[in-house]
Amino acid sequence: MDEQAIRELLEQVKDPEIPALSVLDMGIVRSVDLSDNAVTIQITPTYSGCPAMKMISDDIVSVLSDAGVSSPKVEQVLHPAWTTDWMTDKGKQHLKESGIAPPCAKPDGDIVAFPSPPSVACPFCDSKQTERKSEFGSTACKALYFCNSCQQPFDYFKAI
Ligand SMILES: [Zn+2]
C-alpha cells in the first residue's frame, strides 16, 4: 500500500465535530509515513482539549487496520498549531455553508480562543458586526456568536 492508498482510506475518516468533512478536508493530517514497513499518521488537533481527537485517532487506526495495514500508529503533533490554511477549499466552503465561522489566528499562528468583536466575520454575510453570546455553541469546540447585521446566530469554531 502506498501513500496515495493510505490517503484514500483517510478520506473515510470524518471529523466528529463536522461529519461532512474528512480529516483530510480539515487539514488535520500532517504527514503519512510509510518507512520501515510501518504506517505512522501524524495529526495536529484543531482543538487541543477536544475529546474528538481521541475518536479521530481511534477511527484512523480502525480504518487502516480494516484495510489490512498492520499496527498503524497515530502521533499527535502540536506545533505548529493548526490553522484553517491547512483545510481544503472544500473544507473551508463547507464550514461557511454550514454557518460556522473558522477560527481566527494571530499573525504568529496562535489560534485565538475568543477573539473580541469585530474580528469574527459572520459566515452568512461577512459582516464583522458580531458578538459572542456564549462560550459554548452546539458542541464544546464551538462558541455561539450572533451577527448584528443579518440577525443570525452562528457557531465560531474555537479550535484552540
Ligand atoms: Zn451576518
Side-chain angles (χ1 to χ4, degrees):
M1 197 172 290
D2 61 10
E3 180 174 340
Q4 185 58 35
I6 300 284
R7 286 185 177 272
E8 279 166 22
L9 290 169
L10 292 176
E11 191 61 45
Q12 299 170 23
V13 180
K14 304 303 178 189
D15 186 319
E17 287 288 315
I18 306 168
L21 296 179
S22 73
V23 291
L24 295 175
D25 288 322
M26 289 300 293
I28 291 169
V29 176
R30 289 274 61 71
S31 69
V32 174
D33 186 87
L34 284 82
S35 52
D36 304 328
N37 293 320
V39 174
T40 304
I41 312 295
Q42 289 192 320
I43 58 173
T44 295
T46 54
Y47 174 59
S48 57
C50 191
M53 291 315 289
K54 170 81 176 112
M55 284 169 64
I56 290 171
S57 296
D58 291 348
D59 282 354
I60 288 174
V61 168
S62 80
V63 163
L64 294 183
S65 298
D66 288 352
V69 176
S70 61
S71 315
K73 287 190 186 60
V74 177
E75 289 175 1
Q76 286 200 22
V77 180
L78 300 178
H79 297 283
W82 176 87
T83 83
T84 48
D85 289 349
W86 295 347
M87 290 182 76
T88 61
D89 287 342
K90 178 189 162 201
K92 288 178 194 168
Q93 188 63 28
H94 181 84
L95 269 197
K96 209 171 153 71
E97 286 168 1
S98 308
I100 302 169
C104 302
K106 289 186 283 192
D108 59 9
D110 282 350
I111 297 291
V112 184
F114 300 116
S116 50
S119 56
V120 178
C122 169
F124 300 112
C125 69
D126 287 329
S127 165
K128 291 203 168 177
Q129 302 304 312
T130 60
E131 60 181 303
R132 174 156 65 91
K133 289 292 189 191
S134 166
E135 192 175 321
F136 297 104
S138 56
T139 73
C141 300
K142 303 191 193 90
L144 182 65
Y145 274 71
F146 186 80
C147 175
N148 290 316
S149 242
C150 67
Q151 306 289 313
Q152 289 193 77
F154 64 91
D155 276 331
Y156 168 63
F157 194 54
K158 290 188 286 197
I160 52 171

